[in-house]
Amino acid sequence: TLCSFMKVFLSKQWYQRRVRAGSLHMGHCVPFMFTKWLQDVFDVPLVIQMTDDEKFLWKDLTLEQAHKLAHENIKDIIAFGFDPEKTFIFCDLDYIPSCKEFYWNMNRIQKCVNFNQAQKIFGFDETSYIGKVSFPAIQAAPSFSTSFPHLFGGKKLSCLIPCAIDQDPYFRMTRDVAPRLSLPKPTLLHSTFLPALQGAQTKMSSSEANSAVEVCDTPNQIKKKINKYAFSGGKTSVQVTAKARSYWTTLGLGVGREQV
């Protein structure tokens, strides 16, 4: 088998979209659609971590607001159609206080990484909250099956983590720590960023609504975004575009062609 279980991490960028418009965009869907396929094909359990604590630490929100947003995001995740019998979705603020094994793994990980290492990996400085400095251990802990005794009974199972490329530093740290804890190293499957509508030089972003197509957009809204904001490689007029087509230069860089 490819793995014994899978873990998906839900980053603060997802929450940022939820705050702005109450929905996720196409770029967010890529890892989840792939994870759904993996679960169907390999018939494995899936753990999805909702990092409402991270949202509280990085954004100007109360704990109550961050927790509520996490529960709203869970509705979006359920819509992907994961097997309810083999999928465990949890919020950090709910699960960690109720599971000593998870908390113990957090502490073990924290003791394996000093501040100098964390500073180089994540860019922390003297202005960083101590909560931010300790958060990587919270994200790393679900990579180990022993953090979920009610699911795996304390067995040390291998874990596959489908994630966007920007999450790589967290799990490289996790892989470095795993042997010191006598636990299996997690395996990663990276997805690239989906290009923004404006072109492949940037990714779809939660901070720029017109750079992305949201899953809750109506057909008319999608048409307007594509027609108004999507980079096609075309020029300022039909005549100029026709001339450029003969050379097949910038037309080949169009977002539509890139995503197809």
Side-chain angles (χ1 to χ4, degrees):
T1 59
L2 181 65
C3 62
S4 298
F5 79 103
M6 292 189 296
K7 179 237 177 180
V8 171
F9 164 69
L10 198 59
S11 73
K12 59 182 178 294
Q13 285 76 19
W14 173 292
Y15 287 121
Q16 189 175 27
R17 171 55 54 185
R18 169 62 67 181
V19 172
R20 286 176 54 83
S23 181
L24 60 151
H25 61 62
M26 289 174 58
H28 291 138
C29 296
V30 174
F32 281 95
M33 294 172 68
F34 182 52
T35 301
K36 171 63 167 58
W37 180 85
L38 288 171
Q39 186 181 54
D40 291 343
V41 172
F42 294 100
D43 192 29
V44 290
L46 169 67
V47 171
I48 300 177
Q49 180 184 23
M50 310 292 293
T51 55
D52 43 2
D53 49 350
E54 182 195 25
K55 182 63 179 177
F56 168 70
L57 291 169
W58 263 266
K59 298 296 179 180
D60 186 21
L61 292 173
T62 65
L63 273 174
E64 292 77 13
Q65 289 172 325
H67 188 249
K68 181 178 180 181
L69 289 172
H71 281 264
E72 289 298 313
N73 282 169
I74 290 174
K75 299 175 184 177
D76 292 331
I77 296 172
I78 292 173
F80 282 95
F82 295 111
D83 185 344
E85 299 298 323
K86 296 182 178 179
T87 303
F88 176 58
I89 306 175
F90 71 96
C91 297
D92 286 344
L93 292 176
D94 291 326
Y95 184 67
I96 296 174
S98 68
C99 182
K100 73 173 185 178
E101 289 83 0
F102 191 107
Y103 183 66
W104 285 19
N105 275 344
M106 282 173 46
N107 278 269
R108 293 182 179 112
I109 296 166
Q110 289 170 346
K111 195 172 182 178
C112 290
V113 183
N114 61 43
F115 179 71
N116 184 52
Q117 292 171 314
Q119 189 178 37
K120 291 179 179 178
I121 296 171
F122 304 106
F124 298 132
D125 57 32
E126 63 275 5
T127 66
S128 301
Y129 297 121
I130 58 174
K132 291 183 177 181
V133 176
S134 64
F135 177 77
I138 299 176
Q139 182 171 331
S143 304
F144 304 128
S145 59
T146 53
S147 296
F148 306 99
H150 69 291
L151 296 177
F152 306 114
K155 296 178 181 178
K156 297 180 180 181
L157 305 175
S158 57
C159 174
L160 173 67
I161 305 175
C163 62
I165 189 66
D166 61 336
Q167 300 305 313
D168 182 71
Y170 287 94
F171 300 116
R172 282 185 179 270
M173 180 203 73
T174 306
R175 285 176 55 82
D176 289 341
V177 167
R180 299 172 62 183
L181 302 180
S182 299
L183 294 170
K185 289 185 177 183
T187 301
L188 307 183
L189 280 176
H190 291 144
S191 66
T192 59
F193 293 125
L194 202 63
L197 294 179
Q198 287 76 12
Q201 69 276 9
T202 58
K203 67 182 180 72
M204 288 193 177
S205 171
S206 299
S207 60
E208 177 51 60
N210 293 327
S211 72
V213 174
E214 300 175 20
V215 296
C216 65
D217 284 343
T218 65
N220 285 337
Q221 288 174 319
I222 295 173
K223 181 179 179 180
K224 180 180 178 180
K225 284 185 177 181
I226 296 297
N227 290 341
K228 187 173 182 180
Y229 300 107
F231 175 70
S232 66
K235 299 299 181 180
T236 55
S237 69
V238 174
Q239 291 76 15
V240 178
T241 299
K243 183 177 180 180
R245 185 180 291 114
S246 65
Y247 299 102
W248 193 249
T249 52
T250 54
L251 289 177
L253 302 177
V255 172
R257 183 175 183 274
E258 177 80 15
Q259 295 186 11
V260 169

